Amino acid sequence: MKLLIVGGVAGGATAAARARRLDERAEIVLFERGEHISFANCGLPYYIGGVIEKRDDLLVTTAKALGDRYHVDIRVFTEVMSIDPNNKRVEARNLLTKKTYHESYDKLILAPGAEPLRPPLDGIELDTVLHLRNIPDSERIKSYVDRMKPEKAVVVGGGYIGLEMADNLVKRGVKTVILEMLDQVMAPLDYEMAALAHAHIKENGVVLELENGAKGFKKQGKGTVVSTKKGKDIECDLVILSIGVRPENKLASEAGLEIGERGGIKVDAAMRTSNPDIFAVGDAVEVRDFVTGHPTMTALAGPANKQGRIAADNAMGRKSLFKGTLGTSIVKIFDMTAASTGASEKLLKKYNMPYQVSYTHSGSHASYYPGAQIMAVKLIFSPGNGKILGAQIVGGDGVDKRIDVMATAIRGGMTVYDLEELELAYAPPFSSAKDPVNIAGFVAANILKGDVENVYWNELNRADNRESIFIDLRNKDELEESGTIPGALHVPLNDLRDKLESLDKERAYIPFCAVGQRAYIGHRILSQKGFKSRNLSGGYRTYLGAKEKIMKESSATKLWLSE
Ligand SMILES: Cc1cc2nc3c(=O)[nH]c(=O)nc-3n(C[C@H](O)[C@H](O)[C@H](O)COP(=O)(O)OP(=O)(O)OC[C@H]3O[C@@H](n4cnc5c(N)ncnc54)[C@H](O)[C@@H]3O)c2cc1C
């Protein structure tokens, strides 16, 4: 058995190690174009920021260490140039000696990853317009920051690499602008959740230019000017391009393997391509979205590693299946954590799949124990059986463990009723007796049971809601501190029962409070007393996060909220 592997990082190195563990006699050859195998791409921004101090700490293992332990023939600086599927061999080129040769295979695993997008914009070739994929890229950026001490940088693209770069550049004392084409950063999140991060990014001194992209770059004196699609010129010393990645599909497409619509190599659940002897894994492939069942591509290390293992299993004669990806991801943005798993609302809309949503805001641990931080939780679930379809969490401490519980719940096919019942570890420094995950389950279950009827932030500009009367149930000091929704009546929750006589049963009411808990009680009082009432889901906190968009839409259509 002779196994060839193309690409020696997340997917490729994992596949090599797994294949060896399964078959001590197989001949295994791994080709890697670069100098390093199995390096920590995910750590690169933190190396530039100085959080990871030594470059060698990024090397999870070396070619020699992996070769010695697993007896794999590792050929670095060697690029596979083409595949000849009919004769089952590849053409490889040693990039140092320029020598080209053929290597035959019984099975081939492709793990070539994805390359950063560099569209043909004017000035894209400038030496100050850099991107980040591997260790040499990180050295280039780090040594530029070390030597040139740039005062200002523009990060083009607000995905997780862009955000991590902004965070780390600010750590290095570089004033940073993020230029993002969409109206939000972190595309996997829905707008109102990303908007919570927008505020935090700005608080940390980063200029966030949304709905604006880079049009071109030019040198000006010692600096670089980024001209934007909206006609602005932004002067800076350094540009980091992080606008996304493109699957490295050249080898596969030239070999006649099937390629998906968005450029990913098509594979089945065994990670087998359209050729039965060739497998493909990682950023280069298109896989099944676990929730929607549609094809998707995720450039994430977790799926790449798991797929590498699965492909090796199948290549070596075992049966092993990849059941789909949830795209579970998490990013640290200064002191904030933003995470998501499963389907977003916008994805479900795209596929016309029914869903319902709940928003909750909970403390990371018991409020009386010092240091609790609020996290915003968006739960997306099926309106029929309450099956969890997706979750997004933005906050500080403890976001990581809650998103992982949600990811586990989705994988297990759980419903919001299961979340109500989950028994999670609790002591005051870690959680509350009702964990944020339980709370999200309670609120979602209340919606499904009809105990609460909600109105959502993105429905506020609808005509029927314009006719409704908002009731702010918070205390006076809270209004003074953070304002309220234009035109809202102010009735603190404890006074609501006394004020019912002054309300009009012909009108509809939208009670709200800070996060939705008091509003739920208010809604129960109102509805049981015969008033038409709907609770503002997520309360004033969710409204505030999304306010910019609500106001924009409101003023565009000259609606009441713009007053
Ligand atoms: C800066 C950065 C930060 C990241 N942070 C995170 C994170 O926090 N969390 C997360 O989940 N993911 C993160 N990722 C993504 C994650 O690193 C990738 O999803 C993962 O590495 C993909 O693994 P892969 O094996 O498919 O491709 P890669 O790891 O990209 O490896 C592919 C390798 O194949 C080699 N290659 C390509 N073509 C050939 C050829 N023809 N011949 C020989 N060799 C070839 C390439 O040189 C490359 O080294 C990050 C990525 C980057 C760049």
Side-chain angles (χ1 to χ4, degrees):
M1 167 62 171
K2 184 170 174 187
L3 173 68
L4 302 189
I5 299 170
V6 181
V9 191
T14 302
R18 174 69 174 167
R20 171 58 70 226
R21 286 194 295 268
L22 294 179
D23 188 345
E24 195 51 30
R25 285 161 309 162
E27 184 183 351
I28 304 172
V29 184
L30 183 148
F31 299 97
E32 169 53 55
R33 186 167 59 194
E35 179 183 356
H36 306 284
I37 60 149
S38 207
F39 62 87
N41 332 43
C42 312
L44 300 177
Y46 302 97
Y47 172 57
I48 294 165
V51 180
I52 297 169
E53 290 175 10
K54 291 194 227 113
R55 195 202 69 143
D56 284 0
D57 288 345
L58 295 169
L59 301 175
V60 180
T61 186
T62 61
K64 174 154 186 349
L66 191 77
D68 287 352
R69 172 140 320 163
Y70 290 101
H71 209 241
V72 173
D73 178 355
I74 296 171
R75 304 185 192 168
V76 290
F77 288 124
T78 305
E79 180 164 10
V80 171
M81 308 302 288
S82 63
I83 305 167
D84 175 358
N86 295 329
N87 295 305
K88 291 181 72 172
R89 62 180 194 169
V90 302
E91 184 186 53
R93 180 177 162 85
N94 183 316
L95 299 175
L96 301 177
T97 63
K98 314 282 181 226
K99 216 181 119 214
T100 296
Y101 58 95
H102 289 102
E103 198 67 64
S104 66
Y105 63 81
D106 293 311
K107 302 284 178 203
L108 173 65
I109 297 178
L110 302 177
E115 60 191 340
L117 287 173
R118 287 187 74 93
L121 303 176
D122 282 347
I124 189 98
E125 70 294 340
L126 291 178
D127 59 0
T128 45
V129 181
L130 304 176
H131 62 252
L132 181 61
R133 177 182 182 183
N134 50 32
I135 291 185
D137 296 336
S138 69
E139 291 284 20
R140 215 166 289 130
I141 299 172
K142 186 169 186 305
S143 84
Y144 188 89
V145 177
D146 291 345
R147 277 183 302 111
M148 307 302 284
K149 312 234 172 316
E151 275 178 26
K152 193 168 168 188
V154 173
V155 173
V156 187
Y160 66 83
I161 295 179
L163 294 176
E164 288 175 351
M165 276 310 302
D167 184 340
N168 281 285
L169 286 169
V170 169
K171 261 194 201 87
R172 298 291 311 266
V174 185
K175 290 198 189 92
T176 303
V177 177
I178 298 177
L179 205 55
E180 166 58 58
M181 274 294 281
L182 300 176
D183 62 357
Q184 65 165 92
V185 298
M186 284 291 287
L189 296 180
D190 289 314
Y191 172 81
E192 73 286 10
M193 298 302 283
L196 301 171
H198 296 168
H200 186 69
I201 291 168
K202 291 180 198 163
E203 277 160 25
N204 279 277
V206 172
V207 176
L208 192 55
E209 276 273 331
L210 296 172
E211 297 179 89
N212 199 0
K215 208 172 77 180
F217 313 93
K218 63 172 186 276
K219 278 267 181 214
Q220 186 169 288
K222 282 192 192 152
T224 302
V225 174
V226 183
S227 41
T228 73
K229 298 215 158 123
K230 280 191 178 165
K232 249 192 194 172
D233 279 347
I234 309 174
E235 285 177 31
C236 64
D237 307 298
L238 171 67
V239 180
I240 305 291
L241 210 57
S242 51
I243 53 175
V245 293
R246 174 191 298 122
E248 289 225 31
N249 62 15
K250 188 162 168 278
L251 277 181
S253 63
E254 286 176 0
L257 304 182
E258 252 183 75
I259 305 291
E261 260 173 40
R262 288 168 56 201
I265 305 168
K266 279 197 172 186
V267 289
D268 63 13
M271 306 312 298
R272 193 178 270 109
T273 67
S274 52
N275 181 309
D277 295 314
I278 307 179
F279 298 80
V281 303
D283 288 4
V285 301
E286 180 181 285
V287 288
R288 178 180 172 273
D289 181 308
F290 187 83
V291 174
T292 67
H294 289 279
T296 187
M297 293 196 315
T298 46
L300 290 167
N305 275 277
K306 283 163 201 111
Q307 292 162 8
R309 188 180 159 91
I310 290 168
D313 277 358
N314 291 302
M316 305 314 272
R318 281 206 183 186
K319 280 211 162 42
S320 203
L321 298 180
F322 183 73
K323 296 185 185 121
T325 181
L326 292 175
T328 307
S329 65
I330 188 160
V331 64
K332 171 186 162 322
I333 318 166
F334 301 100
D335 301 320
M336 186 174 248
T337 309
S340 69
T341 184
S344 63
E345 197 177 344
K346 58 190 162 206
L347 189 72
L348 294 168
K349 259 193 195 132
K350 176 178 159 191
Y351 291 127
N352 249 335
M353 292 174 70
Y355 64 87
Q356 258 183 309
V357 163
S358 72
Y359 298 98
T360 45
H361 300 264
S362 311
S364 52
H365 60 247
S367 57
Y368 56 82
Y369 186 90
Q373 295 175 336
I374 296 290
M375 68 181 80
V377 181
K378 176 174 184 174
L379 190 63
I380 307 171
F381 49 94
S382 163
N385 55 12
K387 202 165 168 184
I388 307 155
L389 305 174
Q392 299 169 25
I393 311 184
V394 177
D397 245 18
V399 168
D400 52 348
K401 74 169 169 173
R402 273 58 182 228
I403 204 71
D404 283 346
V405 173
M406 294 295 193
T408 310
I410 299 174
R411 265 311 285 241
M414 287 188 185
T415 66
V416 299
Y417 308 112
D418 293 314
L419 293 191
E420 290 188 283
E421 290 173 19
L422 279 187
E423 192 180 321
L424 301 168
Y426 160 62
F430 305 104
S431 181
S432 300
K434 290 181 208 126
D435 188 88
V437 170
N438 298 132
I439 302 273
F442 294 143
V443 171
N446 283 343
I447 296 171
L448 290 180
K449 288 178 202 154
D451 289 342
V452 63
E453 210 184 316
N454 277 338
V455 57
Y456 295 91
W457 69 272
N458 50 3
E459 297 172 340
L460 292 183
N461 279 315
R462 235 172 42 191
D464 53 338
N465 293 324
R466 273 185 282 143
E467 301 300 319
S468 303
I469 297 172
F470 284 91
I471 309 181
D472 191 335
L473 297 171
R474 295 174 301 159
N475 297 331
K476 194 162 167 256
D477 56 330
E478 294 174 274
L479 268 73
E480 282 167 2
E481 196 184 312
S482 60
T484 186
I485 296 178
L489 293 179
H490 177 219
V491 184
L493 176 61
N494 292 353
D495 301 342
L496 182 63
R497 289 184 183 90
D498 299 335
K499 291 278 165 73
L500 290 177
E501 297 231 319
S502 64
L503 302 182
D504 180 355
K505 288 213 163 126
E506 297 306 310
R507 303 291 302 269
Y509 290 92
I510 301 179
F512 69 95
C513 61
V515 298
Q517 197 191 17
R518 281 170 288 178
Y520 173 50
I521 302 169
H523 165 80
R524 297 295 301 162
I525 294 171
L526 287 166
S527 55
Q528 289 183 64
K529 290 287 181 184
F531 291 93
K532 285 177 241 153
S533 159
R534 279 166 314 147
N535 175 32
L536 177 59
S537 186
Y540 191 61
R541 232 180 256 253
T542 299
Y543 166 87
L544 262 192
K547 187 174 167 191
E548 219 170 287
K549 194 161 185 164
I550 298 171
M551 289 303 178
K552 205 162 150 191
E553 286 170 6
S554 183
S555 69
T557 43
K558 305 227 174 345
L559 293 180
W560 57 283
L561 273 173
S562 60
E563 282 157 22

